[in-house]
Amino acid sequence: MHPYQDATRPVAERVEDLLSRMSLEEKAGQLFHSMLMMNADGTPVTETDGSMLPFSTPELVEARHLTHFNLLGTYGAREMALWHNAVQEMAANTRLGIPVSLSTDPRHAFTDNVGASFNAGAFSAWPEALGLAAIGDPELVFHFADTVRREYLAVGFRTALHPQIDLATEPRWARQTGTFGSDAKLTGELVRAYVRGLQGEELGPDSVAAMVKHFPGGGPQKDGEDPHFAHGKEQVYPGGMREHHLEPFRAAVAAGCSQMMPYYGQPVGTDWEEVGFGFNKGVVTGLLREELGFTGIVCTDWGLLTDSVIFGEKHVARAWGVEHLSVAERTAKSLDAGADQFGGEQCPEVIVELVGSGRISEERIDESVRRLLREKFVLGLFDERRYVDPDEAAETVGRADFKAAGAAAQRRSLTVLTDGPLPLSGRPKLYVENVDPAVAAAYGEVVAAPAEAELAVVRLRTPYEDRPNRFESFFHSGSLAFAEPELTRILSLLGTVPTVVCVNLERPAVLPEIAEQAAALIADYGASDDALLDVAFGRAAAEGRLPFELPRSMAAVEAARPDVPNDTVDPVFAHGHGLAI
């Protein structure tokens, strides 16, 4: 037995022993955190068509020496556990047997975006992070994160690519649904609870490591566009609120978060270098490492180095501000900035080339590999936590009490903006839109047309502009206002029958006319039809308060400063609004 395989030895000693045995190629593989998909039956993908992933699982694990992966797609719990074990077995059979560390974007709510999150599927379903913010209860967030931890551990996920603690200050930005809203103080309180729920009091074999994102705060995007795409690369601070956006990250570091992800954004008009944060030494080393004292792993956001193909369409590397550099030069600049690992990349040969040319020292590579190996040892991946039990996974994921807690949180998160006839009573004749008629039938007599109804219940989503690129179409951007002819159709319905309108706020909808004419208006952030109707009929209490303001017009949105919370003139509903019924 080699010393690194001996669980009785101190972690630091095990790390140094393993590091001393690694080739440069094996070290280089550790610096990449790439994506995998699996077959629905729980077997690894051994061939790829290149439409999403350029390499098969054996190519990445055996030939390219990668040991960090995030799983794309939604699958059954037992199948995920079987897949995890199969990938671990593949890794165990490599020369040094370094275990894989598996990660995932959020999986416990309703949003399904291959670039950001997955719907709950087999896992317990909770409101989006915005809904947790609407409740504003740190103990609930701790309970949520602890549930996530237990369900993730069951299938083998050991790193959560969350929480996302950017401040929702630009109403048009596509990523707000994953945040805790616009309040920096509340976000700080909730991230402390979240990290504690995932990691425990300290990182160990029963922890899921928290990769907090997106440092130093990705909210203030110019025109609200997202820096996954070149037209959204600029991040601006016209209100001078840069320090304000750092507040939640100070809380996350103080809470002991294990990992941190810098964002894609390229700061413009500040004293920071005008390059994406993953290449930005003043931000990663100067601010995060030296000023905030962060000692954990820094992993870049996905796809900073190389161009990629997503859904068969080409996407350029998100190398904002360094587009002119070669892949090797970008890699070196990010390492110089202080990054340990590259998300969504799989080019270890570039690291080998940089060391061979003398541009990057092997000692610099060792510095990052030490951090990455240490976490594997601390999480127990070399020991008792290498494999999971598929039967236990099937029993744990989506357990009845987890689902019940998530369902209760959905109800609590609903935000009553205007109450009108609420709570409803009796069994009225109901006309419904975007509500399952079979669910509604438990609350009233469902009718086919508004003219036949005594009451309507209608669910709407915050508007967005269609984007032609398939991947970008998942990132709902652009106008927040209901457009014609849909607005006239909605208002005609509201004029025909008293209507309870529920709008899903993945972003702050512009809805002054709807708010004025609806019999009652409720906001949701991910909630089932049962949850909505339970609240409407007084069977459950809504506790939500708006986690951001709802603007009066798009002109007000365009005039607001993207780094300043709740900055639109005369909002229809202010931040924190919500009624008790």
Side-chain angles (χ1 to χ4, degrees), residues 140-226:
L140 174 66
V141 170
F142 168 79
H143 180 57
F144 163 72
D146 182 62
T147 302
V148 170
R149 179 187 66 83
R150 290 191 277 179
E151 291 190 296
Y152 279 4
L153 281 177
V155 298
F157 292 130
R158 300 310 305 275
T159 302
L161 305 181
H162 50 95
Q164 181 193 339
I165 58 172
D166 313 287
L167 299 182
T169 53
E170 215 306 341
R172 291 167 288 184
W173 186 41
R175 299 296 302 278
Q176 291 172 82
T177 190
T179 75
F180 291 127
S182 63
D183 187 320
K185 182 176 183 294
L186 176 64
T187 299
E189 293 171 357
L190 299 186
V191 71
R192 281 191 286 268
Y194 204 120
V195 170
R196 186 164 52 94
L198 286 177
Q199 297 187 175
E201 293 304 316
E202 61 180 26
L203 205 67
D206 294 325
S207 302
V208 169
M211 186 186 291
V212 173
K213 58 189 185 186
H214 303 91
F215 192 79
Q221 298 302 132
K222 184 180 178 183
D223 300 326
E225 294 294 334
D226 191 84

Side-chain angles (χ1 to χ4, degrees), residues 35 37 45-57 59-60 72 307-315 346 470:
M35 299 159 290
M37 299 180 77
V45 174
T46 55
E47 296 181 2
T48 178
D49 63 7
S51 64
M52 282 291 287
L53 304 180
F55 299 106
S56 70
T57 304
E59 287 174 310
L60 290 170
L72 301 183
D307 297 345
S308 58
V309 175
I310 306 174
F311 297 123
E313 299 167 321
K314 184 176 179 181
H315 287 261
Q346 51 274 315
R470 184 178 175 194

Side-chain angles (χ1 to χ4, degrees), residues 119-365:
N119 62 30
F123 295 89
S124 54
W126 297 65
E128 308 288 347
L130 274 178
L132 298 176
I135 300 169
D137 178 355
E139 278 307 304
L140 174 66
V141 170
F142 168 79
H143 180 57
F144 163 72
D146 182 62
T147 302
V148 170
R149 179 187 66 83
R150 290 191 277 179
E151 291 190 296
Y152 279 4
L153 281 177
V155 298
F157 292 130
R158 300 310 305 275
T159 302
L161 305 181
H162 50 95
Q164 181 193 339
I165 58 172
D166 313 287
L167 299 182
T169 53
E170 215 306 341
R172 291 167 288 184
W173 186 41
R175 299 296 302 278
Q176 291 172 82
T177 190
T179 75
F180 291 127
S182 63
D183 187 320
K185 182 176 183 294
L186 176 64
T187 299
E189 293 171 357
L190 299 186
V191 71
R192 281 191 286 268
Y194 204 120
V195 170
R196 186 164 52 94
L198 286 177
Q199 297 187 175
E201 293 304 316
E202 61 180 26
L203 205 67
D206 294 325
S207 302
V208 169
M211 186 186 291
V212 173
K213 58 189 185 186
H214 303 91
F215 192 79
Q221 298 302 132
K222 184 180 178 183
D223 300 326
E225 294 294 334
D226 191 84
H228 274 84
F229 313 100
H231 51 266
K233 66 184 179 182
E234 294 184 352
Q235 190 160 316
V236 294
Y237 300 89
M241 299 288 281
R242 190 173 82 179
E243 285 298 311
H244 188 70
H245 286 261
L246 276 174
E247 287 184 27
F249 293 92
R250 294 183 189 277
V253 172
C257 69
S258 174
Q259 303 195 32
M260 191 72 76
M261 180 193 293
Y263 205 29
Y264 298 122
Q266 174 184 352
V268 174
T270 75
D271 58 357
W272 285 333
E273 184 183 3
E274 292 194 354
V275 297
F277 291 122
F279 302 101
N280 204 308
K281 187 171 185 176
V283 171
V284 176
T285 293
L287 179 58
L288 179 59
R289 293 275 191 216
E290 295 174 356
E291 183 179 330
L292 271 62
F294 180 69
T295 59
I297 294 165
V298 174
C299 180
T300 74
D301 211 332
W302 269 225
L304 259 64
L305 304 180
T306 61
D307 297 345
S308 58
V309 175
I310 306 174
F311 297 123
E313 299 167 321
K314 184 176 179 181
H315 287 261
V316 298
R318 301 167 186 111
W320 311 138
V322 296
E323 294 95 334
H324 61 289
L325 298 182
S326 68
V327 171
E329 290 167 335
R330 294 169 187 171
T331 305
K333 186 169 180 62
S334 186
L335 289 169
D336 288 343
D340 296 306
Q341 198 171 54
F342 300 95
E345 300 282 357
Q346 51 274 315
C347 50
E349 68 278 3
V350 175
I351 301 293
V352 174
E353 172 193 331
L354 287 169
V355 174
S357 70
R359 173 63 181 84
I360 297 290
S361 70
E362 189 162 356
E363 289 74 24
R364 170 64 187 88
I365 302 304

Side-chain angles (χ1 to χ4, degrees), residues 1-10 14 377 383:
M1 178 188 292
H2 296 306
Y4 78 86
Q5 298 168 316
D6 183 353
T8 67
R9 291 178 180 264
R14 299 177 76 185
F377 282 112
D383 308 310

